[in-house]
Amino acid sequence: MRIKAEKLENGKMRLEVALTSTETEEALRESRASVIEQLDLKVDELHPAEKLAKEQYDIDNFDAVVAVQMVETLLPAAIDQAGVVPAFLPEAQQNQLPKAGCSYSFSFVVTPKPAFELSFYGPVEVEVEPVQITDDQVRQVLVDIALRCCESSGEDQVQPDYSDEWIEEHLPFELSLEETKSTIREELMLSAKEKQKQVVRKAAVAELAKRFEGEIPAEVLEAARSSVLEEVNMALAQQGVDARDYFMGQEDVLNAHVSQRAYNVLAQGYTLDAVFKHAQLKLEKEDIDAWCATVASGQEASVVRKKMQQMGQGFLMREGAQRLKAGNWLADQAIVTERELS
């Protein structure tokens, strides 16, 4: 894949992407497999993808869907290869759909991500709930351990009488019931403190973003609004609710919510970018691994990293890692107080 970059007078950049016939054929094959997987089509000799797509999803032109998928996959890869950090993902301009055995090209215009500075980077004040580990929490962990022991041994799931003897029988790596409780309490405390750190980071970013005074370009705001609106629609769809019915007669409320949410997301992101630069932080491999772990959903961080690199989403991964590191730095500088328990 060859990339030709042209800087435009308005500060944007036009990227022209050209593929050889071999590259086009390979990209189409990968996109076809991806679409089949996404649509969960059970393809075989008697049931080709085109037929199943028409029957199950009323898709008349399956090849066109594959072509669109191909370009949507190549577009971020082209941006990453060009070394551009976009404000949002643009749409490709295509004169014709790609065909197997033929070379192919498309172009698009990228709006680079704007950079902002804050007037003041002093520490913010954050108030959080104190970390507390109760006896009930410890006991619930013991209950969970007992249930797993019953499942693995085929015993009836009854509430055991926890004792040193029960610990010796089921948890031979522990010496006594009290030591087991102490270990559980320490693990719960570590987990609770990590969650508190996440709360501090989130609150510190939101607080510092109040100092953001930059003027976000209208097209960047509109792209963010579209993303937020899509998130709202998807969240409601997962609950079996149609967004149009849910917000009928309340369109102004929806638009206000979406606009405010979009602005907050952008302002906080640009604030973290400014912090990363101001603090002269450096992005390390460990930072990327840490960010990948936050979005891994049960996968290994290395798997997420490799997948995003293969999909050409390296710029998204690096941006996320930089912002996470900036957020942690900001949390470390914050003045944190714990609320008094009533």
Side-chain angles (χ1 to χ4, degrees):
M1 184 169 68
R2 292 182 292 106
I3 313 294
K4 180 182 178 181
E6 176 190 1
K7 291 186 177 180
L8 305 179
E9 292 181 357
N10 56 8
K12 299 181 180 181
M13 183 175 291
R14 179 185 298 279
L15 296 182
E16 295 184 359
V17 184
L19 286 80
T20 65
S21 58
T22 301
E23 290 172 331
T24 302
E25 188 163 352
E26 181 180 354
L28 281 172
R29 183 168 58 252
E30 292 177 353
S31 295
R32 181 182 178 86
S34 178
V35 172
I36 289 174
E37 181 180 358
Q38 290 173 21
L39 298 180
D40 194 24
L41 302 179
K42 308 303 181 184
V43 177
D44 56 34
E45 292 183 0
L46 299 178
H47 303 87
E50 291 78 3
K51 180 181 179 181
L52 294 177
K54 173 60 178 177
E55 293 175 350
Q56 298 177 25
Y57 298 96
D58 198 27
I59 295 175
D60 292 317
N61 192 340
F62 184 74
D63 288 339
V65 175
V66 171
V68 169
Q69 172 81 11
M70 172 186 134
V71 173
E72 288 182 349
T73 301
L74 292 176
L75 189 146
I79 291 175
D80 200 36
Q81 186 172 321
V84 186
V85 181
F88 55 87
L89 287 180
E91 292 186 2
Q93 300 165 0
Q94 304 179 72
N95 295 324
Q96 60 184 14
L97 294 177
K99 296 180 180 179
C102 300
S103 59
Y104 179 69
S105 64
F106 65 94
S107 64
F108 54 93
V109 175
V110 179
T111 300
K113 183 175 68 171
F116 298 94
E117 290 284 353
L118 304 181
S119 58
F120 180 55
Y121 290 90
V124 296
E125 296 184 10
V126 174
E127 188 179 52
V128 295
E129 296 290 340
V131 173
Q132 261 195 323
I133 304 300
T134 66
D135 291 340
D136 286 342
Q137 289 175 289
V138 174
R139 183 169 181 79
Q140 183 57 53
V141 174
L142 281 172
V143 170
D144 294 338
I145 292 174
L147 289 175
R148 290 197 296 271
C149 288
C150 290
E151 289 176 358
S152 61
S153 63
E155 299 175 13
D156 294 334
Q157 294 188 0
V158 295
Q159 190 76 3
D161 180 18
Y162 300 111
S163 61
D164 290 347
E165 290 74 18
W166 187 90
I167 294 296
E168 183 179 357
E169 179 181 356
H170 294 88
L171 304 174
F173 48 85
E174 297 288 353
L175 298 178
S176 67
L177 177 59
E178 287 307 314
E179 286 193 3
T180 302
K181 288 182 177 180
S182 178
T183 300
I184 291 172
R185 189 176 294 276
E186 290 175 3
E187 292 175 350
L188 289 175
M189 180 62 72
L190 287 174
S191 177
K193 284 188 174 295
E194 181 59 32
K195 289 180 180 178
Q196 187 189 63
K197 183 178 180 180
Q198 295 173 12
V199 171
V200 170
R201 182 176 66 234
K202 184 176 180 179
V205 173
E207 191 64 29
L208 188 65
K210 294 178 181 178
R211 302 175 190 171
F212 179 83
E213 299 176 347
E215 185 174 345
I216 301 175
E219 63 176 331
V220 178
L221 273 170
E222 184 55 37
R225 286 188 78 262
S226 297
S227 295
V228 172
L229 185 58
E230 184 177 350
E231 291 174 3
V232 171
N233 289 332
M234 289 180 62
L236 290 173
Q238 289 176 353
Q239 302 174 37
V241 179
D242 189 303
R244 291 170 298 182
D245 296 335
Y246 187 84
F247 288 103
M248 185 172 293
Q250 303 182 64
E251 288 77 9
D252 291 344
V253 174
L254 171 62
N255 290 331
H257 167 76
V258 169
S259 296
Q260 187 61 52
R261 171 64 179 162
Y263 178 83
N264 289 342
V265 169
L266 289 171
Q268 291 185 20
Y270 294 147
T271 294
L272 287 172
D273 294 339
V275 167
F276 190 88
K277 179 181 178 182
H278 168 78
Q280 298 182 337
L281 302 176
K282 302 296 182 181
L283 189 64
E284 308 289 347
K285 178 181 178 297
E286 294 76 14
D287 303 319
I288 293 178
D289 288 341
W291 180 82
C292 289
T294 66
V295 298
S297 299
Q299 293 181 313
E300 293 289 334
S302 59
V303 174
V304 175
R305 183 176 65 250
K306 183 177 180 181
K307 184 176 182 180
M308 293 195 72
Q309 289 172 338
Q310 290 175 338
M311 295 174 64
Q313 295 180 342
F315 62 93
L316 291 175
M317 181 172 60
R318 290 188 293 274
E319 179 185 72
Q322 288 179 351
R323 289 178 172 180
L324 177 61
K325 187 166 187 173
N328 287 332
W329 181 89
L330 184 60
D332 289 339
Q333 310 305 312
I335 301 171
V336 182
T337 57
E338 293 187 342
R339 297 185 182 93
E340 292 185 6
L341 295 174
S342 55

